[in-house]
Amino acid sequence: MARSVGRILSGFRCFGSLPFGNPLLKTECSSVLFRTTSERTLVNALPKMFPRKPRDFSLPNSSWGKEMMQLYNHYNRLSKEATEGQEDHGERWTRLPSYNRSLKFATGGVYLSKIIQSKARLFTRNIRDPGAAFEYVLFVRQDKLKCVCIFQAGHLLEGQPGHVHGGAIATMIDTVTGTHACLLSAPVMTANLNVNYRSPIPLGSTVLIESILDKEDGRKIYISCRVTSTDGSKLHTEATTLFLSIDVSHLLR
């Protein structure tokens, strides 16, 4: 039995444990999954044992303030229609789903997350109380040259009294630019994050985090980032980042 479970897990690792899995690889690995009747029974039982769809944290909840909802609706409209009277040159936006574990993006990942390090959670999505910490939603342009995040900072992110902790700001910058880099060349790892703080962010406020691709050089992806007030009038933080694309097998060791 232990050997059968081991083969099942091995097969699942191949079978799209990441969203950027190779379709050919998935076909090859499917033969690994179903070698015996007992293995087929266990795999078929997984959907009944665990919920089919994970919660998408990028959707609005009761903690979202008026400013955050207005921006969300604004980018949602842009995701459905190109600029009026103009051709779509990549200006259309797409909302990115966000789960409490990156593994859940994958085919079968919602089941695997119950088996492989089941208590692990994405750092920015591990607070159960809505609005207490990181509330955010990301949109990416169709040409993938730019990514924008609407971020509302909860009361658990305090640094200096009444203001957001610098580490929480850096975390969000890494999250946004890292997601952007993954869309360009998944998977990636952060190689360098250089942050300059310009003005503090009031706790509970909503800000925009804009990520822009500077250049790609082989495995290297350079992205710059700005954190501003929602109207763009105040610069809170700016940063430069470097990401390195890595082999999928590196994540599965």
Side-chain angles (χ1 to χ4, degrees):
M1 179 63 182
R3 186 177 302 174
S4 295
V5 172
R7 284 204 298 266
I8 290 172
L9 293 180
S10 176
F12 264 127
R13 290 191 186 99
C14 292
F15 193 42
S17 61
L18 292 169
F20 35 80
N22 188 316
L24 178 60
L25 182 61
K26 292 180 181 180
T27 302
E28 293 173 352
C29 289
S30 61
S31 62
V32 178
L33 288 175
F34 309 112
R35 290 179 181 172
T36 69
T37 302
S38 60
E39 289 171 10
R40 285 196 299 271
T41 301
L42 179 56
V43 170
N44 292 333
L46 284 174
K48 299 177 182 178
M49 297 165 61
F50 307 122
R52 290 179 179 272
K53 292 185 179 180
R55 175 188 168 190
D56 184 352
F57 287 83
S58 69
L59 296 174
N61 63 58
S62 59
S63 74
W64 286 21
K66 180 179 178 181
E67 201 168 19
M68 187 163 183
M69 280 303 307
Q70 287 176 339
L71 285 167
Y72 174 82
N73 291 331
H74 168 71
Y75 281 100
N76 240 1
R77 284 193 298 271
L78 294 180
S79 71
K80 297 175 182 177
E81 56 187 30
T83 305
E84 186 177 354
Q86 298 180 7
E87 292 184 9
D88 181 11
H89 298 293
E91 292 115 353
R92 188 173 298 182
W93 295 80
T94 301
R95 181 184 64 84
L96 300 178
S98 179
Y99 307 108
N100 62 8
R101 229 188 150 184
S102 299
L103 183 61
K104 292 182 180 180
F105 277 103
T107 302
V110 66
Y111 312 129
L112 278 180
S113 66
K114 297 286 186 177
I115 301 172
I116 303 174
Q117 294 185 349
S118 61
K119 293 183 179 180
R121 291 292 179 270
L122 187 65
F123 178 55
T124 54
R125 297 300 193 190
N126 69 344
I127 304 297
R128 293 185 178 181
D129 184 14
F134 300 93
E135 287 292 340
Y136 63 95
V137 55
L138 280 76
F139 290 86
V140 64
R141 260 178 43 153
Q142 193 171 30
D143 58 10
K144 297 182 181 179
L145 296 179
K146 188 175 182 180
C147 187
V148 66
C149 171
I150 309 165
F151 169 50
Q152 179 180 289
H155 61 272
L156 296 182
L157 301 184
E158 186 176 59
Q160 291 295 325
H163 295 87
V164 182
H165 195 287
I169 299 169
T171 294
M172 282 307 305
I173 289 173
D174 188 42
T175 297
V176 176
T177 55
T179 300
H180 190 181
C182 279
L183 293 171
L184 296 165
S185 179
V188 299
M189 298 287 273
T190 308
N192 181 269
L193 175 61
N194 184 26
V195 182
N196 292 304
Y197 298 96
R198 302 304 185 191
S199 61
I201 299 175
L203 205 63
S205 64
T206 300
V207 296
L208 279 178
I209 305 175
E210 294 181 305
S211 170
I212 300 173
L213 173 65
D214 291 330
K215 67 175 181 177
E216 295 183 75
D217 182 13
R219 293 178 55 221
K220 299 179 180 179
I221 303 171
Y222 296 87
I223 294 177
S224 58
C225 185
R226 286 166 52 91
V227 183
T228 67
S229 56
T230 54
D231 62 2
S233 63
K234 178 176 286 189
L235 175 63
H236 292 293
T237 312
E238 55 186 350
T240 57
T241 61
L242 167 61
F243 294 91
L244 295 178
S245 60
I246 60 173
D247 192 271
V248 176
S249 61
H250 177 82
L251 298 176
L252 300 179
R253 290 171 186 167

